[in-house]
Amino acid sequence: MLTFGDFKSALGGLDLDNRPAIVHVSLKSFGAVQGGAEMVVQALLSSHSGLLVPTFTYKTMVTPEVGPPNNGLTYGSYRDLNRMAEPFYPDMPADPLMGVLPETIRHFPGAKRTAHPILSFVGISLEVALHSQTILNPFAPIGVLADMDGWVLLLGVDYTVNTSIHYAERLAGRPQFVRWALTRDRVVECRGFPGCSDGFEIIRPELEPYARRVALGDSFIEAIPLKGLFQVVETRLKENPLALLCQREDCERCNAMRDLAVGVG
Ligand SMILES: [Zn+2]
């Protein structure tokens, strides 16, 4: 069974100098963990000056019958989901797809959450980063974290959940989508919505020179510096605007990205 000491020494082995980090965790991947998600958050807090975690809430999303073209969705096909949508409220739990860590950290002393109705973040000791988020620039906190020489920490998860790659895509000029979210009094238009992340593993070899990795239990912890990540993704997308897209034939967002790249619509 893994203990606080095991996590603490694995994180120490990455030698990240207490820098702030954006964190993605699969607790399950580590097997038995003494103290569960709370212990993992304690270990992270004892190794990093600040923590940032996505607490996205997809169930607020609604889709109109018509809207902008090349938007990576089929208008009119979301009526059932629209009926189940719930208005965002500040205490809305993060989507269960994101694992247990976002909800655990959200309830920690000192944790603060942004108010984006789909793409909110929770942070501890990262007020400036949290305040930078706007409805037009939802991933701005990741940019501030990069300015602070922050890192991405992947605990037992791969690059398909590495949200920071979306920020790098935007920096590289990749088109963004529009989505809509219910709030208590209106529907909010959310620009700057990212593409699909299913193809992100392909960038792994290019990040090797930057990445640090330690084994832990049945799993691993990988760290990538945000500035290095941005540089690698931008270079790759400038060489090939279709890089990092997934290969699923029915992926609406990746197909829209391909159409946009060749100037359709
Ligand atoms: Zn895709």
Side-chain angles (χ1 to χ4, degrees):
M1 181 176 274
L2 293 175
T3 64
F4 175 85
D6 295 328
F7 274 87
K8 176 84 182 150
S9 71
L11 289 164
L14 292 167
D15 198 19
L16 303 183
D17 196 25
N18 209 36
R19 292 282 168 202
I22 176 169
V23 183
H24 307 275
V25 182
S26 165
L27 195 63
K28 266 189 293 196
S29 74
F30 291 96
V33 172
Q34 191 176 60
E38 286 191 12
M39 180 278 277
V40 174
V41 175
Q42 294 285 10
L44 288 163
L45 282 171
S46 72
S47 308
H48 297 278
S49 63
L51 295 180
L52 186 70
V53 178
T55 50
F56 300 165
T57 48
Y58 301 115
K59 67 180 176 185
T60 61
M61 292 172 75
V62 287
T63 306
E65 291 290 301
V66 289
N70 287 324
N71 195 23
L73 51 75
T74 306
Y75 293 102
S77 69
Y78 289 79
R79 286 170 197 147
D80 290 343
L81 282 173
N82 285 350
R83 271 193 286 275
M84 291 188 291
E86 290 178 36
F88 180 79
Y89 55 97
D91 203 29
M92 179 177 253
D95 195 290
L97 281 175
M98 315 203 76
V100 296
L101 193 103
E103 276 302 284
T104 306
I105 201 166
R106 197 166 71 78
H107 292 100
F108 252 68
K112 296 212 166 58
R113 187 190 207 174
T114 65
H116 194 290
I118 308 171
L119 303 171
S120 66
F121 287 87
V122 158
I124 295 181
S125 304
L126 285 176
E127 270 72 11
V128 174
L130 293 176
H131 278 133
S132 69
Q133 189 185 49
T134 65
I135 200 75
L136 294 175
N137 194 1
F139 296 131
I142 296 172
V144 174
L145 204 62
D147 292 341
M148 298 166 76
D149 290 323
W151 290 71
V152 180
L153 282 181
L154 304 174
L155 284 79
V157 291
D158 67 18
Y159 287 15
T160 61
V161 301
N162 187 345
T163 309
S164 302
I165 295 177
H166 288 311
Y167 184 81
E169 289 180 304
R170 180 187 170 118
L171 284 183
R174 173 160 269 182
Q176 308 284 293
F177 297 121
V178 185
R179 292 295 181 267
W180 295 265
L182 271 186
T183 62
R184 288 228 159 107
D185 54 354
R186 64 195 178 103
V187 172
V188 177
E189 183 181 86
C190 302
R191 292 185 172 270
F193 198 83
C196 156
S197 58
D198 292 352
F200 284 179
E201 266 297 291
I202 202 150
I203 200 81
R204 179 177 289 281
E206 282 141 271
L207 286 168
E208 283 300 324
Y210 297 88
R212 300 180 189 179
R213 194 178 167 106
V214 289
L216 178 58
D218 299 334
S219 191
F220 64 91
I221 304 178
E222 184 167 352
I224 308 113
L226 280 164
K227 282 178 181 164
L229 177 76
F230 295 173
Q231 209 170 29
V232 166
V233 172
E234 281 194 80
T235 304
R236 177 74 173 251
L237 284 177
K238 277 183 182 136
E239 283 162 13
N240 175 12
L242 300 181
L244 303 180
L245 300 182
C246 85
Q247 301 305 314
R248 273 190 295 122
E249 274 174 27
D250 61 349
C251 180
E252 292 193 286
R253 280 185 290 171
C254 289
N255 286 335
M257 217 62 97
R258 289 185 187 97
D259 289 345
L260 284 161
V262 295
V264 172

